[in-house]
Amino acid sequence: MAYSFDFTAVAQYHTQLAVGVGYTLMLTALGAVLGVTLGTLGAVVRAWRIRPFAQLFGLYVELIRNTPFIVQLFFIFFGLPALGLRLGEWQAAIIAVVINLGAYSTEIIRAGIQAIPRGQIEAAGSLAMTRTQIFRHVVLQPALQKVWPALSSQIVIVMLGTSVCSQIAAEELTFAANFIQSRNFRAFETYIVVALIYLALSVGVRALLNQIGQRFVVKRRPA
């Protein structure tokens, strides 16, 4: 039987799609800022073996990197209430994204920090630079320059992973898609449109991160 395509049945729900995109980008932005901050802290602690926090961060990284994101999300949203800690769907989603990205960015940034020659740090100390100046200009910035492409890719991966948050009724893009196809019964058209939106978001976010890297990390203005 021939199938008649009808994308207008999806287009009429453009408001729900726009809201879903907005929530997805908000979740990604918050997750990126807080997750990379957590990852930077973890990277410093692990690279410089600051006890006992190095062992704690090591356990955290192994736990998060070796369990599915959806299990982490369900544990936060469904598991923590058993201990008396109740979270809304957006609170749980943000916490899960931050914790997940924090673990991966810890290892990515740690690799960059460990690639900095020890002699370079000692030379900075001989120039009477403060510890803060050494960390910012000699350790952190060069480390981020080395790992920025990998870190950007991980942020995009996390953005795509936020689709799982629809399972706890967080109203991001996949939640909007599920809602739309349950109303128009046009699953093929709905998910084709949403897949294209995710593709556009991935390309756009990657381009934005590249611009941020050139402007603030590499300190080179785009031509």
Side-chain angles (χ1 to χ4, degrees):
M1 184 175 66
Y3 183 82
S4 178
F5 295 99
D6 182 14
F7 286 96
T8 60
V10 181
Q12 65 182 344
Y13 289 97
H14 61 276
T15 300
Q16 285 81 0
L17 290 172
V19 170
V21 168
Y23 277 123
T24 294
L25 290 176
M26 181 184 70
L27 188 56
T28 302
L30 287 172
V33 172
L34 298 178
V36 171
T37 300
L38 176 61
T40 301
L41 175 62
V44 172
V45 168
R46 295 204 71 194
W48 290 349
R49 296 186 175 90
I50 301 175
R51 299 177 182 274
F53 303 105
Q55 291 81 359
L56 294 175
F57 266 100
L59 179 62
Y60 154 65
V61 168
E62 291 302 315
L63 177 64
I64 298 301
R65 294 179 70 195
N66 291 287
T67 55
F69 176 64
I70 192 170
V71 173
Q72 299 162 20
L73 179 66
F74 282 178
F75 174 79
I76 293 170
F77 188 70
F78 296 114
L80 291 183
L83 303 179
L85 181 58
R86 294 189 174 276
L87 299 171
E89 60 271 10
W90 277 107
Q91 293 173 315
I94 291 172
I95 291 172
V97 168
V98 170
I99 289 175
N100 186 269
L101 180 57
Y104 283 92
S105 59
T106 291
E107 291 301 279
I108 292 172
I109 298 172
R110 180 168 76 108
I113 291 175
Q114 291 180 330
I116 304 299
R118 174 63 60 178
Q120 190 170 315
I121 299 175
E122 294 173 352
S126 68
L127 295 174
M129 295 178 66
T130 65
R131 289 185 177 181
T132 301
Q133 290 173 327
I134 292 174
F135 173 72
R136 179 182 174 185
H137 299 290
V138 181
V139 177
L140 184 59
Q141 186 174 336
L144 289 177
Q145 290 175 357
K146 294 176 184 294
V147 304
W148 190 255
L151 194 58
S152 298
S153 295
Q154 188 60 46
I155 291 173
V156 172
I157 290 171
V158 167
M159 182 197 71
L160 298 176
T162 60
S163 60
V164 172
C165 297
S166 62
Q167 298 299 309
I168 61 170
E171 297 180 8
E172 45 71 62
L173 184 55
T174 300
F175 179 91
N178 294 336
F179 171 82
I180 293 168
Q181 70 87 23
S182 71
R183 296 298 188 274
N184 63 12
F185 303 104
R186 290 281 178 173
F188 183 86
E189 291 93 330
T190 299
Y191 289 114
I192 281 291
V193 169
V194 169
L196 292 175
I197 293 174
Y198 272 118
L199 176 61
L201 289 176
S202 297
V203 173
V205 169
R206 194 181 299 276
L208 176 61
L209 290 171
N210 183 51
Q211 293 297 315
I212 292 174
Q214 290 182 343
R215 186 67 60 87
F216 300 105
V217 179
V218 182
K219 301 290 186 179
R220 182 176 68 244
R221 291 185 179 275

